[in-house]
Amino acid sequence: MTSTAHRPQLDSPSVTHIERLPARPGTTVDWPSWADSSVVAAFRQRGIAAPWAHQVTAASLAFDGTHVVLATGTGSGKSLGYQLPVLSRLLADPRATALYLAPAKALAADQLRAVAGLGLPDVRPATYDGDTAREERDWIRQHSRFVLTNPDMLHHGMLPGHERWASFLRRLAYVVIDECHAYRGVFGSHVAHVLRRLRRLAARYGGAPTFILASATSGDPAETASRLAGVPVTAVTEDASPRGALTFALWEPPLLPPAADDLPVVSRERRSALRETADLLTDAIVVGTRTLAFIRSRRGAEVVAAVTRRQLDEAVPGLGDRVAAYRAGYLKEDRREIERQLLAGELLGLASTNALELGVDLVGLDAVLICGYPGTRASLWQQAGRAGRAGEPALAVLVARDDPLDTYLVHHPSALFGRPVEATVLDPGNPYVLGPQLCCAASEAPLTAADLDLFGGDPARAAVHGLVEAGVLRKRPSGWYWTHTGRPDVDLRGTGGAPVSVVESATGRLLGTVDAASSHAMLHTGAVHLHQGVSFVVDDLDLDDAVALVHQEEPDWSTHARDVTDLSVVSVRSYVNAGPVGLFLGEVDVTNQVVSYQRRRIGSGEVIDTRPLDLPPRELRTVAVWFTVSPRALEAAGVEPPDLPGALHAAEHAAIGLLPLIATCDRWDVGGLSTANHTDTEAPTVFVYDGHPGGAGFAERAYETAAEWLRATRAAIAACGCESGCPSCVQSPKCGNGNNPLHKPGAVAVLDAVLAALPTAPATQPTTAPTH
């Protein structure tokens, strides 16, 4: 991008901050002496005269058999860092094999193109995933020496059928784990055990692979990679690649015009981030700027692409054809064609979900628009790094949604710039992950005492004991055996059951699916369901068969589920006694039930009526962080008793919204509860809990950084210009009580009282603490 005319108007009042990152020269080194000459020649033929220093450092460690993680920026050439040792080994040893794992199919397909494009003899790379034809799979098992797949396929296909992969596993020299920062929370915890199962079976056949992990820049990559792979890992973090100058703008959509002359500014809503992104994308494409817009939802990506196409065709007929949407759920052929068109320059703009965030080699982009904070600084920089043509200046724009965290960030740029990215959170010891994974391992081969050390030691031994008592494992002199004939049904993504199919009643057409955890709120009888911009109304939700029957209808109202939540404290792991304030971490039981829904008039938001629902309660044992405040401290802070429920509720909402600032989570990964007097704590209490069985590590991270987290929460509420609370501070899109009651000033006072008493860093107390 060589002309500033290509950029959105950065002098717009919507711009709250501009960060300019200077260009950085690169540092090259000689090709290592151990590298195969034909591999080096292939890279040189592709225009790589000499490698960057970090590529050779990581590659040499891996070639010597050291497990290594290469954690450098987007576009820094991490692929060469693992391709060089892997391909050199495959050519030096004609019997060796290698396995490549990526969190997304598009990334594996991209790597296949790159490796196959080197034209090396006898490597025979191949992708092995859900899109692979049955007739190809036998050939891959027997002949491919470099298999590219994903953790789901490894878990569901390769490991359960390990006898057919015996030759491949016996010769397995390297396992490459690309974009390893994507393995977080419950998903990351499951993948950690899938990798331990892989190591166990490879060893059974005589294999001992070296692990090479590639990651975006992240906090403590060596520790995270070691926890993921279960082996000691050395980190390479010094990025020696060149970088063009980057201009990074923070953009807050403007307030909408008042609906009435007497409406105060503080009560007005902001323009939609989706519409703002579509306008910026339109402006960029009109002047020839090749731009990628990242959108958080599938529906949002479709909306932005559609609006942009329409606006472009109005300006220049036919120009809309050079914009497309890209998201998961497309057919493989469609995804590959869109990727080809973008790489070839046939497309000038793309509205994509984060399906294109990871690793796919997109070159020649001038600008990136990020519609809504993607949840972590790691993802933010990963997305922004997609812009930049061969050292040319690039532009990234973060467009804030009407959300507490987004609002906070565009007014507190120091929270984004000049500070390290988050450490990836995962917990392989989660019993709701460990138990099912041990069942998977036992179904593949009987578990031995040595295996239990591999899977975590004492927690694994305790889990096996419980599985034996439950009758799913049986103890024999040679080990623990899986007692059932079928394989364990374990979902790596932790979605909580089979997805619910959305079926059109009149035609039997499958419209799509909704995850089980969201189905009660999104697909209850009477719910309005949107699919590709078309409205449907749910006629019936059959939970037994996991089917929702719908009919097409365009009502003038929307639906909003209402739920009730009960929470009881099971145990306390650790706590901080801060006088009038207590901070706790422990296990809780959460019972949630969707009990009714409101119909609200589209446009005005007027509540038409509230209708009851008869849905079963859902129970969850998980990990929570919570704080208590004495009534006397709240009274001293100026919180009147009638305002206390709304003050705590508002503080809870904002705290959930700001948690992604310090933990690698999304607000939809966690839940909360606030009460003026909880039965177990006997005090005013705010709970925030992981929304996954057994926890996902987010509550622990919140406990460890409570002062930082709650200080940012308090700042976000206080800085918002509204009078009584809005989506930018204390209102939540997922509130089951319809955001009522909320008391914004009271929330600030509650957090002031907590922060005044709370030490900067929690000092863990004995776990025999009381719950109040």
Side-chain angles (χ1 to χ4, degrees), residues 43 55 70 76-85 87 100 107 110-111 114 176 178 214 359 361:
F43 280 124
Q55 294 173 323
L70 181 54
S76 60
K78 291 187 284 289
S79 296
L80 188 146
Y82 55 74
Q83 289 171 358
L84 189 61
L87 296 173
Y100 169 95
L107 186 51
D110 189 64
Q111 281 297 307
V176 177
D178 207 355
D361 187 18

Side-chain angles (χ1 to χ4, degrees), residues 100-113 127-131 148-153 177-180 182-183 187 191 326-328 335-336 339 353-360 386 493:
Y100 169 95
L101 296 174
K105 291 179 183 178
L107 186 51
D110 189 64
Q111 281 297 307
L112 177 64
R113 284 193 294 266
T127 54
Y128 188 84
D129 57 31
D131 293 333
L148 302 101
T149 186
N150 53 67
D152 306 85
M153 196 67 179
I177 306 172
D178 207 355
E179 306 291 358
C180 67
Y183 302 119
F187 179 43
V191 172
Y326 184 101
R327 60 173 178 80
R335 295 196 305 269
R336 302 295 173 263
E339 293 163 17
T353 60
N354 63 359
L356 278 182
E357 173 186 322
L358 300 174
V360 177
R386 288 283 165 235
R493 308 281 171 168

Side-chain angles (χ1 to χ4, degrees), residues 14-77:
S14 293
V15 175
T16 62
H17 178 79
I18 296 176
E19 189 81 8
R20 301 188 191 277
L21 305 178
R24 178 187 66 204
T27 302
T28 59
V29 295
D30 292 334
W31 292 97
S33 58
W34 53 259
D36 185 278
S37 58
S38 58
V39 176
V40 172
F43 280 124
R44 281 179 167 152
Q45 192 169 1
R46 295 183 64 179
I48 303 173
W52 308 121
H54 65 273
Q55 294 173 323
V56 171
T57 300
S60 296
L61 285 167
F63 187 78
D64 290 338
T66 300
H67 306 295
V68 62
V69 57
L70 181 54
T72 52
T74 307
S76 60

Side-chain angles (χ1 to χ4, degrees), residues 263-388:
L263 191 65
V265 171
V266 292
S267 298
R268 284 156 50 190
E269 295 182 356
R270 293 196 174 274
R271 198 164 185 262
S272 159
L274 288 175
R275 187 57 192 256
E276 199 80 345
T277 302
D279 285 356
L280 291 172
L281 184 57
T282 300
D283 294 343
I285 292 171
V286 163
V287 295
T289 303
R290 295 178 62 182
T291 305
L292 175 61
F294 281 107
I295 319 296
R296 286 176 60 91
S297 70
R298 296 181 182 186
R299 181 170 181 263
E302 297 280 5
V303 168
V304 168
V307 172
T308 303
R309 282 194 292 261
R310 184 176 67 248
Q311 293 180 157
L312 287 171
D313 283 335
E314 290 173 356
V316 182
L319 190 56
D321 293 339
R322 302 193 68 180
V323 177
Y326 184 101
R327 60 173 178 80
Y330 284 173
L331 296 176
K332 177 181 73 171
E333 296 78 11
D334 295 337
R335 295 196 305 269
R336 302 295 173 263
E337 176 60 17
I338 292 171
E339 293 163 17
R340 185 199 66 76
Q341 291 177 348
L342 188 66
L343 291 170
E346 297 170 20
L347 290 174
L348 279 176
L350 201 62
S352 172
T353 60
N354 63 359
L356 278 182
E357 173 186 322
L358 300 174
V360 177
D361 187 18
L362 301 176
V363 294
L365 294 173
D366 299 315
V368 166
L369 305 173
I370 303 169
C371 182
Y373 182 61
T376 66
R377 289 186 293 278
S379 288
L380 182 77
W381 289 110
Q382 189 84 348
Q383 294 180 3
R386 288 283 165 235

Side-chain angles (χ1 to χ4, degrees), residues 102 205 333 465 573 652:
Y205 292 108
E333 296 78 11
H465 179 73
R573 292 185 183 175
E652 171 216 327

